[in-house]
Each structure stands twice: as C-alpha cells, then as structure tokens.
C-alpha cells in the first residue's frame, strides 16, 4: 500500500474552513466612499453586498489575507467578504463547486487559469480595467500574463522563481560553505553527501513529484512540459533520466526513502527541512518568508543546479485572482482585487508572500520597509531574472497530471515499479491532459 504524500506545489498548506453558500442582504445604508491610492473615489452603492473568497496557502498567507479582508471591510462597511481557505485538496474542491454552480465570487488560481476560462468559469474583467482595477503602476508583461485572446481574466498577485533553500545555521556550524550561485546536478549530489557525512542528516528532501521540477529539467534540455501549440515537449527518455537521478539520491542516503518521505507534507507547517533533519529543499521564492518564520535557524536561497544546454529557470506569476463568471457582484469583487494589489496598507500586510508584486510602486515601498528575509527574496529574484528565459504555458488539466506524477514517484520510492514504467505513465498522463484541450 502506498502512503499518501501531500503535493509540494500547492505547496505550502494547513487546515481548511467550511464552504458556505453566498447570500446578500436587501437592506440599505448610507452610501460609502473610500479614497484609492490614486486619489479617486469609486462610487459604492449603499446596498449591503456579501462576497465569498476562495484561496489556498500557508498559515502565514491565511493570516495576512484575513487582515487585508478586515481592512477592506472597514474602508467599505457595506461590503463583507466570507473567507473560504484551504490547505489541501484545493483543485478538487474548486472543480466540484464550479460544477455545482456554488463557487466563490473571488477565486485564487495559478497559471492554469486558462483551463477555467475555456470552461466559461471566469469573468472577462477588461471593462473594470482603468476604473475599479487601477493597475497603471503594473508592469505591462505582468498585466498581460492574466490575458487570453486580448481579454483580461486574472490579476497577478505576485511573481516568483524556483530556488533551493538551505539551512545556513547548520551548514555554517559544520564548516560547510553555502551553495554556489552556479552548480551542476553532480555538484548538488556531492554537496548532499558532504552534508550527510558532516552533520548526519539528509542533504535534501524528495522533490521528484513536483511538476515544476519536471518542467525545469526538460527546459534545461531545450524542451518543456507544454507549449502554446497544445502539445507536450518532453520525452520518456528525459523522465527516465529525471527519475533515475532522484532514485540514485534516495539509494545513496542523501535523501529520505519512501517511508520517511511519506511521513511529511513538506509544507512550512510540517517539514523535515524545518525540523533540521534535511539541509536543503526546493521551494518557490515567495515561500521563503513562511519557511523562515517556521524556523529559528537562518536560511538562505540559491539557484537550482544547472544541466543540459539551456536555461531551465523562469519567472512565473505565482497566483492570480479571478472573478467567478456567475458572481452577482463583479464590480465589488474587482474593487477588492484592486485593493489587494495596490492599496499601500494592504500590500504592506501581504508583503511578498505570494511573490514579488506586479506594481512598481508597491515594490519600491516594500523594499524600503522590508526585513532581512524579504531582502533575501528580492535579491534572489534579481539573480533569477539573470538566469531565466521566457516561461512556457502550464499544462492544461495539470491536477490530473500532478496526481499521476505523485503516484509514480511514490511507487518508485517504495520499489513498486521500474523507472521505465513510471516514466511511460507520466508521459502518457501528460499527453492525455494536453489532448483534452483540443
């Protein structure tokens, strides 16, 4: 029997709240206004409006988001927002409530938002751009990342890049130098062995079930998991190489075995890395804050190992906020999205936990008030930009492929399949997911 391991990609995750049905009161109150950062005062109806908002993330993200909701409600007392937070099973729940016509008004999504646009689940919010959505300080490329067919469906909540976090306190104590800005996969393995020999802990945790790591590995070899032509661009041979590499890490004892890996979710709330039992772990850069807050030891972040003939890294919008196509209050929902990404007080609360903000004004303000952890993240993003190339489209129906990748990774870890069979299953699953969009 295979033990279940929680997905690293959704990465970052703790307990969930009950989903509740939307309702709106018919009572009236005195019209309320609030001045936006640009000085304009949006017209706000006196009607009481209730919105529902759905998101996933770590406890740090959850707490910060609740504070922003509270701040928004104080500025707009006629608008209330009911939180629907989850730590695990987010995509299954989202698909279920969308199918049942009972999804929240505001929905946090990833780079898979085009899947939902094609299903008619999200509202075209282009008409709110320049009005309720005052995104003039956003980089145009960040705005465009939320568009399909020249229509705006999603607003980026931040961008980030993959990186390797490491326990600086433990490594310094053992006289081990920090990882280099440029290292190969072989050097990555050798570094892990050095950690094991000197500290008696694992070099790093298992990251083989990450869809983004598969994409990173394929991109280093000139491919990608998926591109705009609607086809997958990685091969069985590449996945064989990928799985073989992680299997060798496992067998060499520089990474936990299957049973040891299954005992942790590898989120900031439940991690072998956080407990000091492993020295390194692959994360998205926006998770640096949550991991540092979960630990007493100081942590750093370095580039992933290089290999192949091309740059594997890319700068990716971490999450987007979209509006349910069936929302009865899209204008108020657009107002909250704008508040979330442009209001000085709100953006200061959220910081960069969801990634580096798209607004240049917000970035400047945050840098001036950032703590040491945030400064490390900003510095890493600058480094990542220099070592990145243009991102590719995310595989449609990626939740299905993620599930298959996790299953095959676990089977390999428990010795229940071969690398060849696992690689074939992963490629077949990706092909099937891509074909569903044709």
């Amino acid at each position: 029997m295979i033990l279940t391991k929680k997905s690293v990609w959704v990465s970052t995750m703790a307990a969930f709240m009950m989903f509740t049905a939307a309702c709106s009161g018919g009572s009236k109150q005195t019209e309320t206004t609030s001045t936006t950062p640009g000085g304009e005062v949006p017209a706000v109806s006196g009607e009481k409006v209730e919105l529902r908002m759905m998101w996933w993330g770590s406890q740090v993200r959850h707490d910060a988001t609740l504070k922003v909701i509270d701040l928004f409600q104080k500025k707009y007392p006629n608008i209330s927002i009911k939180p629907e937070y989850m730590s695990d099973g987010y995509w299954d729940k989202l698909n279920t409530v969308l199918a049942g016509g009972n999804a929240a008004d505001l929905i946090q999504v990833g780079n898979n938002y085009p899947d939902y646009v094609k299903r008619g689940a999200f509202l075209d919010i282009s008409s709110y751009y320049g009005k309720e959505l005052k995104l003039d300080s956003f980089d145009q490329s960040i705005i465009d990342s939320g568009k399909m067919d020249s229509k705006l469906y999603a607003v980026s909540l931040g961008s980030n890049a993959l990186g390797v976090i490491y326990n600086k306190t433990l490594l310094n104590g053992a006289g081990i130098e920090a990882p280099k800005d440029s290292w190969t996969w072989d050097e990555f393995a050798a570094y892990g062995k050095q950690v094991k020999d000197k500290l008696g802990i694992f070099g790093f945790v298992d990251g083989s079930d990450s869809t983004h790591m598969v994409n990173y590995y394929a991109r280093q070899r000139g491919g990608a998991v998926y591109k705009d032509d609607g086809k997958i661009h990685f091969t069985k041979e590449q996945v064989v190489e990928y799985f073989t590499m992680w299997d060798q890490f496992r067998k060499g004892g520089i990474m936990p075995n299957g049973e040891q890996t299954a005992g942790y979710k590898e989120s900031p709330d439940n991690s072998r890395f956080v407990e000091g039992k492993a020295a390194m772990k692959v994360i998205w850069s926006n998770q640096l804050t949550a991991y540092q807050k979960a630990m007493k030891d100081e942590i750093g972040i370095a580039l992933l190992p290089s290999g192949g003939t091309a740059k594997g890294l890319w700068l990716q919008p971490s999450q987007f906020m979209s509006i349910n196509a069936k929302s009865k209050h899209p204008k108020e929902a657009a107002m909250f999205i704008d508040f979330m990404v442009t209001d000085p007080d709100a953006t200061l609360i959220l910081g960069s936990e969801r990634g580096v903000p798209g607004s240049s004004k917000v970035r400047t303000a945050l840098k001036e008030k950032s703590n040491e952890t945030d400064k490390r993240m900003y510095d890493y993003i600058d480094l990542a930009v220099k070592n990145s190339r243009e991102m590719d489209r995310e595989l449609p129906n990626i939740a299905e492929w993620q599930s298959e990748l996790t299953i095959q990774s676990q089977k390999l870890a428990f010795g229940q399949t071969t690398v060849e069979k696992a690689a074939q299953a992963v490629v077949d699953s990706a092909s099937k997911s891509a074909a569903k969009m044709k």
Side-chain angles (χ1 to χ4, degrees):
M1 178 177 178
I2 300 174
L3 298 176
T4 301
K5 182 179 129 180
K6 312 296 186 192
S7 169
V8 171
W9 173 51
V10 291
S11 86
T12 43
M13 327 230 138
F16 71 92
M17 300 179 69
M18 289 281 292
F19 278 76
T20 52
C23 59
S24 59
S27 60
K28 304 286 181 179
Q29 67 176 39
T30 303
E31 184 170 321
T32 304
T33 60
S34 177
T35 304
T36 65
E40 300 177 15
V41 180
V44 182
S45 168
E47 177 186 2
K48 284 188 174 295
V49 171
E50 181 178 278
L51 302 174
R52 294 159 56 212
M53 177 177 167
M54 182 176 180
W55 76 92
W56 79 84
S58 67
Q59 191 64 40
V60 172
R61 179 182 300 168
H62 177 50
D63 293 341
T65 305
L66 289 179
K67 289 179 182 178
V68 169
I69 289 174
D70 183 59
L71 186 63
F72 179 80
Q73 291 175 152
K74 288 178 179 177
K75 289 195 174 185
Y76 300 97
N78 68 306
I79 306 174
S80 63
I81 299 177
K82 300 191 73 171
E84 298 181 357
Y85 162 74
M86 295 187 70
S87 60
D88 302 309
Y90 183 85
W91 301 107
D92 289 338
K93 186 66 177 182
L94 176 58
N95 290 332
T96 298
V97 293
L98 283 172
N102 189 38
D105 300 270
L106 291 151
I107 301 173
Q108 179 180 295
V109 286
N111 283 279
N112 59 343
Y113 77 84
D115 299 356
Y116 296 95
V117 172
K118 291 180 179 181
R119 289 163 51 182
F122 292 162
L123 185 71
D124 173 10
I125 54 178
S126 303
S127 62
Y128 299 108
Y129 180 67
K131 299 175 184 177
E132 286 74 22
L133 291 171
K134 299 175 180 64
L135 307 179
D136 54 292
S137 63
F138 267 56
D139 300 322
Q140 189 60 46
S141 61
I142 298 298
I143 296 174
D144 292 343
S145 68
K147 290 183 177 181
M148 276 189 69
D149 301 323
S150 300
K151 296 178 180 178
L152 186 64
Y153 288 97
V155 175
S156 172
L157 301 179
S159 298
N160 57 60
L162 289 170
V164 179
I165 52 172
Y166 56 92
N167 190 317
K168 291 180 69 173
T169 302
L170 284 178
L171 296 176
N172 288 343
I176 302 174
E177 294 184 3
K180 302 176 182 178
D181 287 339
S182 176
W183 53 344
T184 65
W185 284 107
D186 286 341
E187 289 172 333
F188 180 67
Y191 194 90
K193 186 177 186 304
Q194 183 183 16
V195 168
K196 179 188 175 185
D197 292 343
K198 288 193 174 184
L199 285 168
I201 62 175
F202 294 109
F204 39 84
V205 300
D206 192 344
S208 62
D209 71 341
S210 166
T211 59
H212 299 296
M213 285 299 291
V214 175
N215 191 34
Y216 176 78
Y217 195 81
R219 281 168 58 89
Q220 288 185 325
R221 283 142 186 81
V225 166
Y226 182 77
K227 293 191 176 182
D228 287 332
D229 60 4
K231 300 177 182 178
I232 66 168
H233 286 262
F234 69 107
T235 65
K236 174 187 173 182
E237 289 70 28
Q238 289 171 346
V239 184
V240 166
E241 289 179 8
Y242 176 82
F243 273 150
T244 298
M245 177 181 72
W246 287 100
D247 200 41
Q248 289 174 345
F249 294 160
R250 191 179 294 114
K251 291 176 179 176
I254 57 177
M255 181 177 88
N257 61 32
E259 185 175 354
Q260 292 165 330
T261 294
Y264 288 85
K265 292 192 299 181
E266 284 309 330
S267 69
D269 309 306
N270 177 240
S271 169
R272 193 176 293 272
F273 174 81
V274 170
E275 292 181 3
K277 297 177 181 177
M280 294 179 285
K281 173 180 169 56
V282 176
I283 65 165
W284 286 106
S285 55
N286 65 302
Q287 295 176 282
L288 184 64
T289 297
Y291 275 94
Q292 185 60 82
K293 285 187 176 182
M295 301 175 64
K296 292 182 179 180
D297 290 350
E298 182 183 359
I299 61 178
I301 184 168
L303 293 171
L304 270 68
S306 60
T309 58
K311 293 178 179 178
L313 204 60
W314 68 96
L315 199 65
Q316 173 168 312
S318 55
Q319 291 99 35
F320 294 87
M321 193 61 72
S322 292
I323 299 176
N324 186 346
K326 295 183 179 180
S327 174
K328 295 180 181 179
H329 305 288
K331 177 181 176 180
E332 287 80 4
M335 288 170 56
F336 178 76
I337 294 177
D338 179 79
F339 182 82
M340 193 176 184
V341 298
T342 67
D343 182 88
D345 294 329
T347 52
L348 184 61
I349 291 171
L350 293 173
S352 301
E353 198 279 334
R354 281 183 170 93
V356 176
S359 165
S360 58
K361 291 182 180 178
V362 170
R363 289 199 300 268
T364 299
L366 289 178
K367 284 181 182 179
E368 293 175 353
K369 299 179 180 179
S370 62
N371 56 34
E372 288 303 315
T373 302
D374 286 341
K375 287 179 182 177
R376 262 176 272 156
M377 185 188 63
Y378 281 119
D379 289 343
Y380 178 72
I381 288 296
D382 290 340
L383 178 63
V385 168
K386 297 175 184 177
N387 290 274
S388 299
R389 61 184 174 92
E390 185 179 354
M391 69 175 287
D392 299 294
R393 272 283 309 279
E394 191 162 272
L395 180 71
N397 306 295
I398 195 169
E400 295 179 16
W401 186 52
Q402 172 68 72
S403 177
E404 186 62 35
L405 178 61
T406 299
I407 288 171
Q408 296 304 323
S409 175
Q410 288 178 341
K411 282 186 175 181
L412 276 173
F414 283 93
Q416 296 176 347
T417 189
T418 65
V419 168
E420 290 279 335
K421 289 181 179 179
Q424 188 64 60
V426 167
V427 172
D428 289 346
S429 176
S431 297
K432 188 181 298 183
S433 292
K436 287 184 178 181
M437 297 306 292
K438 296 181 180 179

